[in-house]
Amino acid sequence: MSIREATADDWPAIRPFFHKIVAAGDTFTYPTDLGEEEAPGWWLLAAPNRTVVAVDDGTGAVVGTAKMNNNQGGNGAHIASASYMVDPAHGGRGVGRALVEYSLEWAGEHGFRGMQFNAVVETNVHAVRLYERLGFRVVGTVPEAFRHPTEGYVALHVMYRPL
């Protein structure tokens, strides 16, 4: 697998799993009915931020994607943030881990002092476990901040890792 900068030409490969993940409503705070015209604007970021794709070297298929940006503007712009999506058909193969590691490297190279995730759904146990294994820790939890489609109101974690 290789990771490279995403382009608008990658959107047709990202779109199917992006919409499946967003419509499920169990991991992202995006509108579950996000329209076709609006969706690329939520994911494909312009420089100095970055969106990348993970590509299967054998098939050339896009198997995951990540977007990386400063978490806040102004005096908070020294902390990075990122979001990740892995095509469910390619889960469990290390794609998510590779994308997180890539984003941490990107953030370090661009002078960020840490990385913060603002809204990690507590029931997304695979993501929470992966982030913790990569040095993130839960620095705060907002009870009932996420309306999960099957679990009801669950907490959102704020997770942080210094760089």
Side-chain angles (χ1 to χ4, degrees), residues 61-86:
V62 172
V63 296
T65 182
K67 67 175 188 166
M68 299 157 275
N69 52 279
N70 55 317
N71 189 52
Q72 301 293 330
N75 290 342
H78 59 282
I79 302 298
S81 191
S83 297
Y84 315 95
M85 287 192 184
V86 175

Side-chain angles (χ1 to χ4, degrees), residues 16 30 51 54 58 87 91 94 98 115 121 123 130-133 141 152-153:
Y30 293 3
T51 302
D87 183 338
M115 185 170 282
V121 180
T123 56
L130 172 62
Y131 301 153
E132 288 176 335
R133 287 180 180 158
T141 299
Y153 290 97

Side-chain angles (χ1 to χ4, degrees), residues 73-161:
N75 290 342
H78 59 282
I79 302 298
S81 191
S83 297
Y84 315 95
M85 287 192 184
V86 175
D87 183 338
H90 298 279
R93 295 179 29 200
V95 176
R97 181 182 191 93
L99 287 167
V100 176
E101 290 173 343
Y102 182 95
S103 68
L104 289 167
E105 185 176 311
W106 172 85
E109 289 172 358
H110 285 81
F112 290 99
R113 296 183 50 115
M115 185 170 282
Q116 177 178 322
F117 302 142
N118 300 322
V120 181
V121 180
E122 73 174 337
T123 56
N124 190 356
V125 294
H126 296 294
V128 172
R129 188 176 319 126
L130 172 62
Y131 301 153
E132 288 176 335
R133 287 180 180 158
L134 292 174
F136 287 85
R137 62 186 175 89
V138 174
V139 296
T141 299
V142 183
E144 297 187 349
F146 186 82
R147 192 183 61 224
H148 192 282
T150 59
E151 302 294 321
Y153 290 97
V154 300
L156 286 177
H157 295 311
V158 177
M159 298 186 78
Y160 176 78
R161 178 195 149 155

Side-chain angles (χ1 to χ4, degrees), residues 11 14-35 38-40 42-43 65 67 83-86 88 146-147 149:
W11 184 249
I14 297 168
R15 185 182 54 75
F17 66 87
F18 176 93
H19 280 289
K20 179 183 255 184
I21 291 166
V22 170
D26 57 359
T27 56
F28 277 82
T29 59
Y30 293 3
T32 56
D33 61 351
L34 192 60
E38 297 88 15
W42 284 66
W43 197 260
T65 182
K67 67 175 188 166
S83 297
Y84 315 95
M85 287 192 184
V86 175
F146 186 82
R147 192 183 61 224

